[in-house]
Amino acid sequence: MSGSSDFSDPVYKEISLTNGHINRMSRDELRAKLAEFKLDTRGVKDVLKKRLKNYYKKEKLMQNQTMNADNYYDYICVIDFEATCEEGNPPESTHEIIEFPIVLLNTRTLEIEDTFQQYVKPEINPQLSEFCINLTGISQDLVDKADEFPKVLQHAVDWMKQKELGSKYSYSILTDGSWDMSKFLNIQCRISRLKYPSFAKKWINIRKSYGNFYKVPRSQIRLSTMLEKLGMDYDGRPHSGLDDSKNIARIAIRMLQDGCELRVNERLHGGLLLTVSSTVPIEGAPVPLMPSLR
C-alpha cells in the first residue's frame, strides 16, 4: 500500500474531482446514482453525499481496503445500560445499573450475531421510581427477582469469554455517548466495591464518530436523530437497554457500510474521561476478566 498514502498519487486528484462533482448533485441525482450501484438511498442529502463519495473512494483504493480488513476489530460489543432515575434528575440521586445488555456485532458479516441481557437488583434504592418504570419499561418485579450487579457482571464476562472475545477474536466496546462507561459503570463499580474492569477502559463513542463522519454538530446528535438522518426508524421500545443497543448496532452497521472506520475514541484513566486520538493504531480490548474487590 506504499503509494496510497502518498497524496501526490494521481488517484487522489481523481477522487478530488469526483467529490467536487458529487457536491454539485441534487438529492434526486444522488439517490439515482446510489441506486445504480445498489447502495442504500435513504438518508438526508449530506449522508447520501458521504455514502457516494466513500463508494468511489473505496473503488479507487481497493488495495487499501483489503489491508484495512486485516487489522480491524472482528466484533463490536454495543452496550447501553439502563439505570435508576428520578424525574428531573435531582443531583443527589445515585444512578444504579438495572439492565445490562450486550449486542454482538460481527464486523465481517455486518450482522447482529447474538445478544446478552440481564436485569440487575439495585442495592441503594431497591424501590424503582414510577418515572423510572414508565421510562424504561422495567418493572419492580423484574429487578426484585434479579441478581445484584457483581453476579450479573460475572455472567456478562462469562458470556463474552464463551464468544472468545479478546482471545480468538479482537473486539471493541461501543456506546451511545460517554456516560455508560465513564458514569454508570464507574459509579456502579464503586457501589458494588469492585475495581473498574480493565476490558471496559476504552470504547467507541458512536456520537463522536457519527458527528465527525457525517459532519453533524455534536449538539444535534441523539439516538433518534442519528436514525432519522440515516432514513431509519427506531425498532422496538425506546429506553429498553437491549432495544436501544440493537438500534445503536443498526447505526454502526450503516456507518461501516458507508465507509466509516469506527474506532476507539474515548478512555477512562484514573477515573477521568479522556479522548483517544484517531492516529493511535487500532487495538482490540483485552480478554474480559472479573475485576477484584476494592
Side-chain angles (χ1 to χ4, degrees):
M1 188 198 120
S2 58
S4 65
S5 58
D6 173 10
F7 289 102
S8 61
D9 190 307
V11 73
Y12 283 97
K13 183 109 199 288
E14 234 177 290
I15 290 169
S16 172
L17 290 169
T18 306
N19 286 350
H21 177 66
I22 292 170
N23 284 337
R24 292 187 291 275
M25 290 167 86
S26 69
R27 187 162 184 263
D28 287 341
E29 287 169 333
L30 289 164
R31 290 181 66 182
K33 191 49 90 175
L34 287 164
E36 199 182 301
F37 296 131
K38 299 191 167 44
L39 296 171
D40 203 306
T41 58
R42 289 175 298 175
V44 294
K45 192 175 176 184
D46 285 344
V47 164
L48 301 181
K49 273 199 243 178
K50 189 77 182 180
R51 188 169 297 149
L52 193 54
K53 285 177 185 177
N54 270 307
Y55 173 77
Y56 277 116
K57 188 175 173 186
K58 250 188 197 169
E59 289 296 297
K60 302 237 194 294
L61 301 174
M62 219 39 188
Q63 71 278 18
N64 193 5
Q65 197 195 5
T66 49
M67 198 200 96
N68 281 348
D70 296 338
N71 65 1
Y72 191 62
Y73 319 110
D74 299 310
Y75 286 96
I76 287 174
C77 289
V78 182
I79 299 178
D80 193 79
F81 297 121
E82 292 306 317
T84 55
C85 50
E86 304 282 340
E87 195 156 12
N89 247 336
E92 70 281 357
S93 69
T94 305
H95 297 286
E96 294 178 80
I97 291 173
I98 52 172
E99 185 187 353
F100 194 139
I102 308 172
V103 168
L104 188 66
L105 165 57
N106 182 323
T107 66
R108 308 282 181 247
T109 62
L110 294 182
E111 285 175 355
I112 291 174
E113 204 167 283
D114 205 351
T115 62
F116 168 92
Q117 181 200 34
Q118 283 197 358
Y119 295 105
V120 187
K121 185 180 200 164
E123 283 180 60
I124 297 172
N125 296 306
Q127 200 66 34
L128 299 182
S129 69
E130 203 60 43
F131 174 78
C132 185
I133 292 169
N134 292 334
L135 181 75
T136 62
I138 298 170
S139 67
Q140 186 62 49
D141 189 46
L142 276 174
V143 295
D144 286 346
K145 289 178 179 164
D147 288 321
E148 288 187 342
F149 184 75
K151 205 172 237 183
V152 174
L153 179 59
Q154 181 67 68
H155 292 158
V157 164
D158 291 344
W159 183 84
M160 290 169 80
K161 274 192 187 159
Q162 193 191 322
K163 302 288 176 196
E164 299 181 276
L165 299 176
S167 50
K168 186 175 178 183
Y169 302 108
S170 65
Y171 75 103
S172 174
I173 287 172
L174 180 146
T175 61
D176 175 27
S178 317
W179 275 38
D180 290 275
M181 300 300 147
S182 70
K183 188 169 183 177
F184 296 142
L185 186 58
N186 205 7
I187 290 169
Q188 185 60 60
C189 286
R190 282 183 209 159
I191 293 168
S192 301
R193 294 163 292 284
L194 292 170
K195 286 187 174 165
Y196 188 90
S198 56
F199 69 90
K201 282 185 177 170
K202 295 178 184 175
W203 61 89
I204 301 163
N205 174 350
I206 199 169
R207 291 193 189 197
K208 270 190 183 174
S209 310
Y210 186 99
N212 294 336
F213 187 68
Y214 296 117
K215 304 287 178 274
V216 180
R218 201 78 49 80
S219 59
Q220 290 175 22
I221 304 173
R222 292 192 316 280
L223 179 51
S224 55
T225 51
M226 286 192 281
L227 286 165
E228 198 183 311
K229 281 186 183 290
L230 292 171
M232 296 156 83
D233 293 320
Y234 187 95
D235 204 2
R237 186 198 191 286
H239 301 295
S240 145
L242 184 61
D243 284 352
D244 278 356
S245 301
K246 284 179 181 172
N247 282 281
I248 295 160
R250 289 170 64 219
I251 293 166
I253 290 167
R254 178 62 58 78
M255 290 178 72
L256 290 167
Q257 286 170 335
D258 280 353
C260 176
E261 189 180 59
L262 290 166
R263 52 190 301 152
V264 164
N265 52 20
E266 288 185 339
R267 67 188 178 104
L268 202 60
H269 182 72
L272 290 175
L273 174 64
L274 303 172
T275 294
V276 174
S277 161
S278 60
T279 58
V280 173
I282 283 183
E283 184 190 11
V287 173
L289 295 172
M290 188 63 190
S292 54
L293 292 168
R294 280 178 185 260

